[in-house]
Amino acid sequence: MGAGIAGITAARTLAQAGWHVTVFEKSRGAGGRMATRRTDWGDFDHGAQFFTVRDTRFELALRATQAPIAAWDATWVRVLDATASRLAVAPAPTETRWVATPGMNALVKHWAQPLADGTLGQCHWVTRVVRLEPDAIAPTRWQLRLEGAPDAADAPAVMGGFDAVLLAIPHPQARELLAASALAPTWQQRLDEEVAVAPCWTLMAAWPHAVAGPGQRLGPHWDAARSDHHRLAWVAREPSKPGRGPVERWVAQASPAWSAEHLEDDPERVLAKLLKGFAEVTGIRATPAHATVHRWRYAQTQRPLGEPYLWDAQRGLGLCGDWCLGHRVEHAFMSGLELALAMLEG
């Protein structure tokens, strides 16, 4: 369960090998933290900002599926102080920075399509798995207790007959589900003690009166910045990415430490603080026509598990996700792929 890149990679790999695969996702579609927010002012990549390709298998998968991706050729800097008065020009990249088009979620949606349309399997959106248990009819298999969308009155509360269950979800949610199901106490302990993932508050802001074009832009001369600001770790101009609309839009992501400190703050208070930090970093002090924040509770892996997956072949139970290996998009792909291959090997 889970329709981020790890879950969809595992599901596709198993389905292409002949397995009947069912995906359960608590959100309304595929993507996970490769997320795109659609608004009247244009779209925002409010999760993963870009990705790199280092593993040959990831490169082959992108090519073989004609993935909707493009290179992001942007001007990068590093902000060295709170007022952006000191900048360091980023060195020329040693590897291509890729984005999905027209938004970051397009890659996962593209890979999920054969599952969603019934060609390779099936997907259940807005469906949360709350417990795993032995199937009532065939105890050697699994059945899942489900909570669905409020308007899905006819949705089943239980689905069964599964030979294996894979949890491709953030490690605290996996740990919670295992605990609720009285399963894998050793895994629960490992997730508690060995894995650490930081939260992230993300700001999205738009200035529709400022349409990007040749010689026309709002704010600094650069497109993206890593930042040493005490609040913000990253800012980026959405129109600088290929396939995006021209309306001036920015995404700013708070640092892990600041996000953790203000995790439970009121969103309006967080919005005001991040807008202030954004103005200090970019010099853009005009009031945006649209501004909102999104809280990711589990955003960036600080301490990974150190192995690509967990798999209990006897029980048919597995865990995968970027948190197994690191924080990069490619880590999520590799984790899902490696778990599926381990299952196929028996």
Side-chain angles (χ1 to χ4, degrees):
M1 67 202 63
I5 192 167
I8 293 301
T9 297
R12 280 178 57 94
T13 304
L14 293 171
Q16 289 170 337
W19 289 43
H20 180 74
V21 176
T22 302
V23 177
F24 297 91
E25 168 56 49
K26 65 182 181 64
S27 299
R28 295 186 178 275
R33 279 166 291 158
M34 288 189 71
T36 302
R37 174 78 59 87
R38 301 195 180 280
T39 76
D40 292 338
W41 296 268
D43 299 346
F44 295 86
D45 294 330
H46 64 297
Q49 296 293 292
F50 64 93
F51 63 91
T52 55
V53 180
R54 301 173 187 174
D55 187 279
T56 303
R57 295 168 297 177
F58 191 29
E59 180 181 8
L60 290 174
L62 293 168
R63 287 182 177 177
T65 59
Q66 298 182 323
I69 63 173
W72 182 22
D73 183 17
T75 303
W76 287 50
V77 299
R78 186 172 191 96
V79 175
L80 302 176
D81 61 12
T83 62
S85 60
R86 295 174 58 232
L87 300 176
V89 177
T94 58
E95 56 189 347
T96 302
R97 298 169 178 127
W98 298 94
V99 296
T101 58
M104 284 298 284
N105 63 358
L107 171 58
V108 188
K109 286 181 177 293
H110 179 69
W111 281 357
Q113 190 58 43
L115 298 163
D117 65 16
T119 303
L120 286 180
Q122 57 182 309
C123 297
H124 295 273
W125 310 119
V126 200
T127 303
R128 181 170 174 259
V129 178
V130 296
R131 183 177 173 84
L132 316 177
E133 55 194 21
D135 189 283
I137 298 175
T140 58
R141 295 182 171 181
W142 292 103
Q143 69 181 24
L144 311 180
R145 298 271 172 189
L146 308 172
E147 288 182 355
D151 58 349
D154 58 344
V158 179
M159 289 186 68
F162 298 105
D163 295 302
V165 173
L166 309 186
L167 308 184
I169 55 181
H171 83 281
Q173 295 175 355
R175 195 263 183 235
E176 179 183 357
L177 183 53
L178 292 174
S181 307
L183 291 169
T186 301
W187 286 5
Q188 292 182 47
Q189 184 176 4
R190 290 195 64 187
L191 297 184
D192 280 339
E193 297 177 356
E194 299 180 26
V195 182
V197 176
C200 179
W201 276 106
T202 297
L203 167 70
M204 294 160 274
W207 290 262
H209 63 281
V211 177
Q216 298 176 328
R217 62 188 302 158
L218 180 70
H221 66 278
W222 43 264
D223 299 312
R226 299 194 185 278
S227 171
D228 294 335
H229 189 278
H230 63 283
R231 288 178 186 156
L232 297 180
W234 167 265
V235 292
R237 292 180 66 248
E238 287 296 300
S240 70
K241 298 178 180 178
R244 273 61 172 175
V247 172
E248 195 71 44
R249 306 182 310 286
W250 288 76
V251 168
Q253 294 181 325
S255 69
W258 193 91
S259 296
E261 182 181 353
H262 297 274
L263 185 63
E264 303 300 337
D265 282 9
D266 179 81
E268 289 301 315
R269 183 168 181 263
V270 171
L271 175 60
K273 287 182 175 294
L274 292 187
L275 280 173
K276 184 175 185 296
F278 174 80
E280 292 170 350
V281 169
T282 64
I284 300 175
R285 302 188 181 277
T287 300
H290 166 77
T292 189
V293 291
H294 179 86
R295 178 181 63 185
W296 297 99
R297 282 191 176 274
Y298 315 113
Q300 187 178 78
T301 305
Q302 305 290 292
R303 186 174 66 245
L305 182 68
E307 52 190 283
Y309 58 85
L310 293 174
W311 171 238
D312 183 336
Q314 184 173 359
R315 285 194 169 185
L317 182 64
L319 274 64
C320 65
D322 64 333
W323 53 267
C324 290
L325 293 170
H327 64 270
R328 297 169 52 240
V329 169
E330 190 172 49
H331 288 143
F333 168 84
M334 293 168 61
S335 178
L337 177 66
E338 291 284 358
L339 175 54
L341 294 177
M343 296 172 63
L344 293 175
E345 290 173 0

